[in-house]
Amino acid sequence: MADRILRTQFFDGHSSIAKPVSEGTDMFLELDGHGPHYAQLIRALKGAILDGRLATGTRLPPTREFARELELSRTTVLAAYEQLRAEGFIEAHTGSGSYVAPLQIDPPLLPAKPTVEPPSRYAQRARQVRTPGIATKHRGLRYELQYGHSQINPALSGLWGRELARAASYTPPYIADIQGLPALRKQICDYLAHRRGIRASPDQVMVVAGTQQAVALTARVLLDEGDAVVLEEPHYFSLYQALVAHGARICPVRADAEGLVCTELPQVSPRLVCVTPSHQFPSGAVLSLPRRLELLRYAEKHHCWILEDDYDGEFRYDARPLAALRSLDEGDRVIYVGTFSKVLFGTLRLAYVVLPVALVADFINAKYLSDIASPGIEQAALAHFMEDGGFERHLRLARKELQARREALIEGLRQHAGARVEITDHPAGMHVAVWLRGYDHARAEALIELAHGRGLGLYSITPLYLNPPARPGLLLGYCGLPISTLREAMQLFGQCLDDMDARPA
Amino acid sequence: MADRILRTQFFDGHSSIAKPVSEGTDMFLELDGHGPHYAQLIRALKGAILDGRLATGTRLPPTREFARELELSRTTVLAAYEQLRAEGFIEAHTGSGSYVAPLQIDPPLLPAKPTVEPPSRYAQRARQVRTPGIATKHRGLRYELQYGHSQINPALSGLWGRELARAASYTPPYIADIQGLPALRKQICDYLAHRRGIRASPDQVMVVAGTQQAVALTARVLLDEGDAVVLEEPHYFSLYQALVAHGARICPVRADAEGLVCTELPQVSPRLVCVTPSHQFPSGAVLSLPRRLELLRYAEKHHCWILEDDYDGEFRYDARPLAALRSLDEGDRVIYVGTFSKVLFGTLRLAYVVLPVALVADFINAKYLSDIASPGIEQAALAHFMEDGGFERHLRLARKELQARREALIEGLRQHAGARVEITDHPAGMHVAVWLRGYDHARAEALIELAHGRGLGLYSITPLYLNPPARPGLLLGYCGLPISTLREAMQLFGQCLDDMDARPA
């Protein structure tokens, strides 16, 4: 849309007499109104040159005359001419002004619609799996129970801001280490030894941009198209998406109340088994010790790798956190993934992997080729936050708060939903899985829709299954709302169930 | 290595009389000295259970007795037992103490050496190309002329720290937008319209973790294994590495004093052409307008895409920055990459792409599956820095400072190296390419080594070529050193050349 239309005449530079380019008529130059006048004039003149309205050799009006005619300042016209000359659109002939440069403009650069070849197989597969799933669907509801919406400690943003400002003052501007800041890797090792029972050297640790990058790098390093990967059924949706897009062949293996059912692992060796032993996502089961040992033996026998996603292993409310699967991994086959995005905040995008020695060099290559390294200031801030004890204090506070929220949610469920729901979750983590008694999937969708209309964001557990579960369930995330709001949310949930009860089945 | 060895006896839980497990002798439990005593005791007991020294059914000593015997506090032993119970290693039988749980430990979990299958084809190719190249080789030299070591404005770290602290106070904790913070994308569009001649809508812009991620995502979205990609010869090394690891077939096309020689583009359509039109890396050439138009026509005709890496397009010292290739791209085939890591600092890891409309959705998928989104606080800080004018002020200062450094470097080269070097660079960017007259590659390596020994970090241009250039050259980065140090560095460079002159050829 033109903001302003300028009328002027251009002259054929080859002709000895002043002969208008467009026979007898003025030419229209459209200014688009974006940014300063000289930039608009440059775009207008380039456009006229590129679409052939101003042909090679056309003489541009002298700047003074042009400026008067266009009602622009002469400085504006001078600046535009200078830029067009620097970019090669016009040429200055000493003493005789500026001329459109000899450019081969034909065929025109304006196709009606570009012909687009299909993208890579990766992109095509990604299109297939990037259905809305459990992603941000509800936005802006009063009671949002979406999993992963973490807001536990309101004081954290101030603390973190101070850590960032401090780290900015001494962090070198250049990229120091692909694998991650050594000071941070050391803190991670101390933390893992203390809280997760893992003994690892900083040489085996890599800082990455969230769990999703850990998965993407693992796929890069280990998987070719068509390689088999075991996923728990149910499982974290983005893990599934990343692996499918990568071209993996997914072998789902059921998780029950003790976690992954290891007797059902495939006979043909997969390349990778992905598990959430501390707190199965989303069912909440804890992988039992006999199964942990069985899984490690399986990996040993089949020469495959294990991806341990310890996304919320820190949050265990009935006991100290259980040691990670990696702590039993004498065969060095477990790629352990821990994240700060869950315990601190989601948009931090910092996580880490503990790597089998055999894979360290390949992961460094893959990280380098993906994004060189993670940001330096954030890593330095986190290293100091951990060293200084702030992280540990935050964890204690967060654990206490999450436990109280969990109890409020469960209490609210008992009081308002009663026998209409069944809870299979362990006292851990940041979410609860509940099953709707006497509901089929269609009725569950109706409940979700009803709740949504009243400002309550509920999420079905079904998208986390490859094959829908026999009965419908909900994934209730409790880390985004304070206790009193969770109580109100559960009261509202009870009212929604009441209203559903009144509807015919 | 054991920090402390505990001697104790365990008893067979199945036997009615107290019968030592290890016939007549005490058992040794090794504490490793890492972390608190209870954690060491847990690891020692787990180790003994897992390697079969403590078999299923073995009764553990009562806590009081055990504590006395081991000279540990009873609380320590109680905490260890509780944790071992929670993790399933031991069981409590009411009234009769704790027993090793029934676990199938056989075969042992301690293989001599894990059998490692070869990694993915990607990882194998990455191993081939991840040679040291031009990467961080010299570290800690007094005069470091490595390209990309940027330290332009010492006040920036303080400014940036304040921006981060401010942004931390209001940035929501959750991930808001895969494509990047809308406020930042809007600022990027305004900047691009003003400085780079590009008109783009925020919907076409994606914030990424540096140029390397832009390349990795482009490869993900566009390239299958074996697809042909045109690279300038010479070219940026990490671009080459990422594409080769991805499985692309590289078609090098020569760049001369006018940039990419478009008449030598392959007849068979590639999928992608990668160019640095503003300032060819590393030669310094600016792609001429006729060639820009020719390249766009080529892409149109061959239905291929163009990756425009505008890594230092902002820094142009003889004129205003030239408009980007993307500004001429009426066919919507140019993926434009701009980065903040060069103009601000390397460890920031923030860049952006302007995408052809046809590719936006596929890039969002690929970004999501790679690392979900870039960090929120840094994006908010940058958006405010741009909106507030701080970024523009920094750019002005940086441009002035870099121009002065460049002039000091060139002046120093003229004075101390004289006719022994040839400079082909344009007055732009953050580096200068110089050619060594009368040198062969071996002699150039000897010069680099000699300089290194005296604290001067020089870098050969050869690793940036697929086929070594006819004569050797150096890539001199001048953005890491202040003017006076650059002068000293050039004096030292002259002395090194003098000493080489004294050596027989």
Side-chain angles (χ1 to χ4, degrees):
Chain A
M1 212 71 74
D3 180 69
R4 185 170 161 200
I5 297 179
L6 308 173
R7 299 178 55 157
T8 187
Q9 281 197 329
F10 293 88
F11 296 91
D12 185 346
H14 303 295
S15 158
S16 57
I17 55 156
K19 176 171 162 273
V21 169
S22 33
E23 205 62 61
T25 59
D26 287 350
M27 204 183 114
F28 296 92
L29 272 187
E30 297 185 358
L31 297 201
D32 56 22
H34 293 288
H37 280 136
Y38 76 84
Q40 295 185 45
L41 183 58
I42 287 169
R43 279 197 295 275
L45 285 168
K46 278 186 188 175
I49 294 170
L50 291 174
D51 66 13
R53 280 177 293 158
L54 289 179
T56 293
T58 305
R59 185 163 70 87
L60 270 65
T63 52
R64 196 182 308 269
E65 197 177 297
F66 199 35
R68 197 173 48 235
E69 201 165 52
L70 302 184
E71 293 176 10
L72 295 170
S73 84
R74 191 173 167 220
T75 323
T76 298
V77 177
L78 275 169
Y81 277 28
E82 189 192 321
Q83 182 72 7
L84 289 170
R85 254 198 304 275
E87 296 193 6
F89 283 88
I90 63 175
E91 293 174 344
H93 295 178
T94 322
S96 78
S98 297
Y99 295 81
V100 174
L103 297 168
Q104 197 205 333
I105 304 294
D106 183 62
L109 284 164
L110 290 145
K113 196 169 181 296
T115 314
V116 176
E117 307 284 321
S120 65
R121 289 195 297 275
Y122 176 91
Q124 290 177 47
R125 289 186 299 255
R127 286 181 189 176
Q128 300 301 316
V129 287
R130 277 279 288 145
T131 53
I134 203 148
T136 49
K137 215 162 52 181
H138 294 163
R139 285 290 163 75
L141 293 185
R142 178 141 182 225
Y143 304 105
E144 179 55 86
L145 296 177
Q146 190 179 350
Y147 172 74
H149 255 241
S150 150
Q151 191 131 19
I152 307 168
N153 174 6
L156 184 62
S157 60
L159 285 172
W160 186 245
R162 281 193 290 281
E163 293 289 354
L164 285 173
R166 175 204 297 265
S169 72
Y170 61 78
T171 301
Y174 46 82
I175 296 160
D177 201 313
I178 298 165
Q179 225 178 315
L181 198 70
L184 177 58
R185 286 190 277 133
K186 190 192 165 303
Q187 288 299 322
I188 290 170
C189 288
D190 291 352
Y191 168 79
L192 289 175
H194 187 210
R195 310 274 333 165
R196 314 297 301 116
I198 296 173
R199 275 193 291 172
S201 134
D203 295 340
Q204 285 171 272
V205 173
M206 172 175 279
V207 179
V208 295
T211 299
Q212 194 69 25
Q213 187 175 54
V215 171
L217 294 178
T218 302
R220 280 287 208 196
V221 168
L222 295 180
L223 305 179
D224 286 316
E225 279 185 44
D227 280 350
V229 175
V230 169
L231 270 197
E232 295 169 312
E233 169 78 333
H235 49 257
Y236 187 52
F237 198 68
S238 305
L239 171 67
Y240 168 78
Q241 290 173 315
L243 292 169
V244 169
H246 192 84
R249 189 161 47 82
I250 304 297
C251 310
V253 172
R254 196 166 54 93
D256 64 14
E258 277 186 67
L260 187 75
V261 181
C262 294
T263 50
E264 297 180 8
L265 284 165
Q267 289 308 306
V268 178
S269 304
R271 281 288 280 166
L272 180 68
V273 179
C274 301
V275 277
T276 46
S278 300
H279 192 220
Q280 205 279 327
F281 190 87
S283 76
V286 176
L287 191 64
S288 69
L289 182 60
R291 290 203 186 165
R292 286 174 190 234
L293 298 173
E294 198 178 340
L295 178 57
L296 291 171
R297 265 195 304 273
Y298 176 89
E300 207 55 65
K301 184 178 158 197
H302 291 265
H303 301 170
C304 69
W305 304 96
I306 297 171
L307 184 78
E308 175 180 22
D309 179 2
D310 201 29
Y311 66 104
D312 68 359
E314 176 59 47
F315 295 125
R316 177 88 197 173
Y317 311 122
D318 57 342
R320 291 182 55 77
L322 300 188
L325 177 66
R326 167 83 204 179
S327 73
L328 299 173
D329 174 32
E330 299 289 344
D332 208 17
R333 297 205 155 267
V334 174
I335 300 161
Y336 172 92
V337 185
T339 180
F340 294 106
S341 291
K342 292 278 183 291
V343 294
L344 291 171
F345 53 92
T347 188
L348 177 63
R349 312 313 302 135
L350 281 179
Y352 50 93
V353 279
V354 179
L355 293 165
V357 172
L359 299 181
V360 171
D362 290 325
F363 266 79
I364 292 176
N365 287 347
K367 171 72 177 168
Y368 179 82
L369 297 177
S370 296
D371 62 5
I372 311 281
S374 286
I377 293 176
E378 289 66 33
Q379 291 189 69
L382 187 51
H384 181 268
F385 193 50
M386 293 178 88
E387 194 187 342
D388 200 40
F391 181 65
E392 189 63 35
R393 280 190 295 278
H394 167 78
L395 279 185
R396 273 200 300 274
L397 196 149
R399 198 177 305 117
K400 213 172 129 187
E401 175 66 23
L402 283 176
Q403 178 172 14
R405 289 188 191 183
R406 185 178 188 283
E407 282 163 8
L409 185 89
I410 301 274
E411 176 54 36
L413 278 171
R414 293 220 173 96
Q415 192 179 339
H416 302 291
R420 293 177 290 187
V421 302
E422 185 185 323
I423 306 167
T424 60
D425 205 52
H426 278 65
M430 308 164 92
H431 72 274
V432 165
V434 304
W435 304 98
L436 296 164
R437 285 213 176 99
Y439 273 66
D440 60 13
H441 290 282
R443 202 168 161 81
E445 281 308 314
L447 169 67
I448 289 169
E449 201 175 313
L450 175 73
H452 185 198
R454 302 198 186 160
L456 173 62
L458 298 178
Y459 293 86
S460 167
I461 210 165
T462 304
L464 306 176
Y465 283 80
L466 273 183
N467 303 303
R471 52 181 181 169
L474 299 173
L475 188 71
L476 306 180
Y478 50 80
C479 60
L481 298 178
I483 291 170
S484 58
T485 317
L486 279 171
R487 288 206 183 105
E488 290 168 28
M490 286 304 97
Q491 194 171 0
L492 183 54
F493 181 50
Q495 286 163 11
C496 293
L497 288 173
D498 293 346
D499 288 3
M500 288 301 295
D501 288 346
R503 289 192 193 180
Chain B
M1 211 70 74
D3 181 67
R4 185 172 162 199
I5 297 180
L6 307 174
R7 299 178 57 159
T8 189
Q9 282 196 326
F10 292 87
F11 296 91
D12 184 345
H14 302 297
S15 158
S16 56
I17 55 156
K19 176 170 162 272
V21 169
S22 34
E23 207 59 62
T25 59
D26 286 350
M27 205 185 113
F28 296 93
L29 272 188
E30 299 186 357
L31 297 201
D32 57 20
H34 293 289
H37 281 136
Y38 77 84
Q40 295 185 46
L41 184 58
I42 288 170
R43 279 197 295 274
L45 286 168
K46 278 186 189 176
I49 294 170
L50 290 175
D51 66 13
R53 281 178 291 158
L54 290 180
T56 293
T58 305
R59 184 163 71 86
L60 270 65
T63 52
R64 197 181 306 268
E65 197 177 297
F66 200 35
R68 199 172 46 234
E69 199 165 53
L70 302 183
E71 293 177 8
L72 295 170
S73 84
R74 190 173 169 222
T75 324
T76 298
V77 178
L78 274 169
Y81 278 27
E82 188 192 321
Q83 182 73 9
L84 289 170
R85 254 198 304 276
E87 297 193 5
F89 284 89
I90 63 176
E91 293 173 344
H93 294 178
T94 323
S96 76
S98 297
Y99 296 80
V100 174
L103 297 168
Q104 197 204 335
I105 303 294
D106 183 62
L109 284 165
L110 290 146
K113 197 171 181 294
T115 314
V116 175
E117 308 283 323
S120 65
R121 288 196 298 275
Y122 176 92
Q124 290 178 47
R125 288 185 300 254
R127 285 181 189 175
Q128 300 302 316
V129 287
R130 277 279 290 146
T131 53
I134 204 150
T136 50
K137 214 162 51 179
H138 295 163
R139 282 291 161 76
L141 293 183
R142 178 142 183 225
Y143 305 105
E144 180 55 87
L145 296 177
Q146 190 180 349
Y147 173 74
H149 255 241
S150 151
Q151 191 130 21
I152 306 168
N153 174 7
L156 184 61
S157 60
L159 285 172
W160 186 245
R162 281 193 289 283
E163 292 289 354
L164 284 174
R166 176 204 297 266
S169 72
Y170 62 77
T171 302
Y174 47 81
I175 297 160
D177 201 314
I178 299 165
Q179 227 179 314
L181 198 71
L184 177 58
R185 286 190 276 133
K186 189 192 167 300
Q187 288 299 322
I188 290 170
C189 288
D190 291 352
Y191 167 80
L192 289 175
H194 187 209
R195 311 272 336 163
R196 314 295 302 113
I198 295 172
R199 274 193 291 171
S201 134
D203 294 341
Q204 285 172 272
V205 173
M206 171 176 280
V207 179
V208 294
T211 299
Q212 194 69 26
Q213 186 174 55
V215 171
L217 294 178
T218 302
R220 279 288 208 197
V221 168
L222 295 180
L223 304 178
D224 287 315
E225 278 184 46
D227 280 350
V229 175
V230 170
L231 271 197
E232 294 169 312
E233 169 78 333
H235 49 257
Y236 187 52
F237 198 68
S238 305
L239 171 68
Y240 168 77
Q241 291 172 315
L243 292 169
V244 170
H246 193 84
R249 190 160 49 80
I250 305 296
C251 311
V253 172
R254 195 165 55 92
D256 64 14
E258 277 187 66
L260 187 76
V261 182
C262 294
T263 49
E264 297 179 7
L265 284 164
Q267 289 307 304
V268 178
S269 303
R271 281 288 280 166
L272 180 68
V273 179
C274 301
V275 277
T276 46
S278 300
H279 192 221
Q280 205 278 328
F281 189 86
S283 76
V286 175
L287 191 64
S288 68
L289 182 60
R291 290 205 186 163
R292 287 176 188 233
L293 298 172
E294 199 177 339
L295 178 57
L296 292 171
R297 265 194 305 274
Y298 176 89
E300 206 56 63
K301 184 177 157 200
H302 291 264
H303 301 172
C304 69
W305 304 96
I306 297 170
L307 184 77
E308 175 179 24
D309 179 3
D310 201 28
Y311 66 104
D312 68 359
E314 176 59 45
F315 295 126
R316 178 88 198 175
Y317 312 122
D318 59 342
R320 291 183 55 77
L322 300 189
L325 178 65
R326 167 82 205 180
S327 72
L328 298 173
D329 175 32
E330 299 289 345
D332 207 16
R333 298 205 154 266
V334 174
I335 300 162
Y336 173 91
V337 185
T339 180
F340 293 107
S341 291
K342 291 278 183 292
V343 295
L344 292 171
F345 52 93
T347 189
L348 176 65
R349 314 312 302 134
L350 282 179
Y352 50 91
V353 278
V354 178
L355 294 166
V357 171
L359 299 181
V360 171
D362 289 324
F363 266 77
I364 291 176
N365 288 347
K367 171 72 176 167
Y368 179 82
L369 297 176
S370 296
D371 62 5
I372 310 281
S374 287
I377 293 176
E378 289 66 33
Q379 291 189 68
L382 187 51
H384 181 266
F385 194 49
M386 293 178 88
E387 193 187 344
D388 200 40
F391 181 65
E392 188 64 36
R393 280 190 296 277
H394 166 79
L395 279 185
R396 274 200 300 272
L397 195 150
R399 199 177 303 117
K400 212 172 132 188
E401 175 64 24
L402 284 177
Q403 178 172 17
R405 288 188 191 182
R406 185 178 187 282
E407 282 163 7
L409 184 91
I410 301 274
E411 176 55 35
L413 278 172
R414 293 220 173 96
Q415 192 180 340
H416 302 291
R420 294 177 291 188
V421 301
E422 186 186 323
I423 305 166
T424 60
D425 205 52
H426 277 67
M430 309 165 91
H431 73 273
V432 165
V434 304
W435 304 98
L436 296 164
R437 286 214 175 98
Y439 273 64
D440 61 12
H441 290 281
R443 202 170 161 79
E445 281 308 314
L447 169 67
I448 289 169
E449 202 175 310
L450 175 76
H452 185 198
R454 302 196 185 162
L456 173 63
L458 298 179
Y459 294 85
S460 167
I461 210 165
T462 305
L464 306 177
Y465 283 80
L466 272 184
N467 304 303
R471 53 182 178 167
L474 298 172
L475 188 70
L476 306 180
Y478 50 81
C479 60
L481 298 177
I483 291 169
S484 60
T485 316
L486 279 171
R487 288 205 183 106
E488 290 168 29
M490 287 304 97
Q491 196 172 359
L492 183 54
F493 181 50
Q495 287 163 12
C496 293
L497 288 174
D498 293 345
D499 288 3
M500 288 300 295
D501 288 345
R503 289 191 192 180

